[in-house]
Amino acid sequence: MDWLKERIVKEGVVLSDQVLILDALLTHQVDPALIMDMGREFARRFRDQGVTKVITLESSGISVAFAAALELGVPMVFARRKKTLLADPDALCERVPSFTKGIVTDIMVSRQYIRDNDRVLFIDDIIANGDAARGLIKIISRAGAELVGLGVVIEKSFQAGARTLREQNVRVESLVTISSLEDGHIHFD
């Protein structure tokens, strides 16, 4: 994944030893060709798992999840972070803290889009503490669906999120792992 590391170094902004801003790459602007490359890579890694749905969280994971779903030929579902007037009153919900936003939000998925016969691939942009990921995994479980794995664009290994999920026997596949943001520099594993 050297091509992705190069883009992260070139376009990422280290805000602190905990926070990396990727607005130019993943969270505000996206490069469609790069997103498709990431989607193809996740599809390659999980193609043999019988995936029937790809799921992600609103909003930064949507582009990569879409690309993976397109490559796998399956629908993509995203968990909403805000209730609307048209929201399914019977949606599966979890309350989760957001590391980057510094707030607690509800995430929700309509029961009609995730079923007990689904084999779900969860795609996320960045995993830090893993709170949102654990919340969405609970929703998948409550729907009776099977989680086949979690594909993460960037894993921050100096935070516990991915490690704790692996300890719970969740298959976590990261395209890039960052071991540190110390001294304003991005250090990869």
Side-chain angles (χ1 to χ4, degrees), residues 13-76:
V13 176
V14 178
L15 188 63
S16 71
D17 64 351
Q18 299 291 307
V19 179
L20 175 64
I21 298 174
L22 293 165
D23 284 355
L25 189 65
L26 279 174
T27 58
H28 199 56
Q29 168 181 275
V30 297
D31 174 339
L34 179 67
I35 295 297
M36 290 307 299
D37 286 343
M38 290 186 267
R40 277 190 283 278
E41 180 59 22
F42 284 129
R44 184 189 70 74
R45 293 183 188 196
F46 289 98
R47 192 170 307 281
D48 65 345
Q49 296 299 303
V51 174
T52 62
K53 295 260 173 78
V54 173
I55 197 165
T56 192
L57 291 156
E58 185 178 53
S59 67
S60 299
I62 291 175
S63 60
V64 180
F66 174 87
L70 180 66
E71 287 295 316
L72 291 167
V74 300
M76 183 210 67

Side-chain angles (χ1 to χ4, degrees), residues 107-121:
I107 59 172
M108 58 205 83
V109 176
S110 176
R111 290 179 191 271
Q112 72 187 61
Y113 299 123
I114 185 168
R115 305 277 186 177
D116 61 0
N117 61 341
D118 280 319
R119 293 181 51 81
V120 180
L121 171 59

Side-chain angles (χ1 to χ4, degrees), residues 131-148:
D131 295 317
R134 280 189 293 280
L136 190 50
I137 289 169
K138 285 179 186 175
I139 288 174
I140 293 165
S141 177
R142 285 203 346 259
E146 182 179 350
L147 175 68
V148 301

Side-chain angles (χ1 to χ4, degrees), residues 155-158 177-182 186-189:
E155 173 184 340
K156 291 161 67 180
S157 64
F158 58 92
T177 303
I178 294 175
S179 59
S180 169
L181 296 172
E182 290 179 11
I186 301 166
H187 303 276
F188 298 100
D189 277 355

